[in-house]
Amino acid sequence: MGIQSAYVKNDARCRLSLGLLGATAGYDYALNEHVSFGLQLGWIVGAEGAGININYFPNSTFDDGFVVGLDFLYTTDPEFPFVKDNEPNSAVLLSIGYQF
């Protein structure tokens, strides 16, 4: 559960997100009419991290409608669950939402 605000211009989107698992700032680029690729930095589950994402838009990229995404996150922050001895750790998150 969360909320996102974004600025969209042509094939690019800059965004700020706030959700139950954290907060991020990111940039997405539309690869085609239905898929975008992005980068993000922020706090996920209380730990600092970075990630990449890929999103699928059934209607059209960045238009109103449903969106399904995969986020691949990376961190060495010991606050992230399951990080031991500052070793790198990663997680994959699935997101499903509706954008207005």
Side-chain angles (χ1 to χ4, degrees):
M1 295 291 291
I3 189 167
Q4 182 179 98
S5 180
Y7 171 75
V8 177
K9 183 167 183 176
N10 299 326
D11 291 337
R13 171 175 69 173
C14 294
R15 60 184 163 77
L16 295 173
S17 303
L18 179 62
L20 293 177
L21 296 178
T24 63
Y27 173 83
D28 300 305
Y29 182 78
L31 299 175
N32 60 43
E33 188 177 327
H34 296 284
V35 178
S36 73
F37 176 80
L39 305 170
Q40 59 198 21
L41 295 170
W43 296 269
I44 296 96
V45 194
E48 292 182 14
I52 60 173
N53 64 65
I54 189 159
N55 294 303
Y56 174 73
F57 303 82
N59 291 341
S60 184
T61 308
F62 309 142
D63 284 350
D64 291 355
F66 283 97
V67 59
V68 178
L70 279 179
D71 294 282
F72 302 92
L73 309 171
Y74 172 84
T75 185
T76 57
D77 192 323
E79 296 298 318
F80 190 75
F82 314 114
V83 169
K84 296 177 183 167
D85 301 322
N86 291 332
E87 292 179 8
N89 198 350
S90 59
V92 177
L93 300 175
L94 172 68
S95 61
I96 300 171
Y98 189 90
Q99 63 184 18
F100 302 93

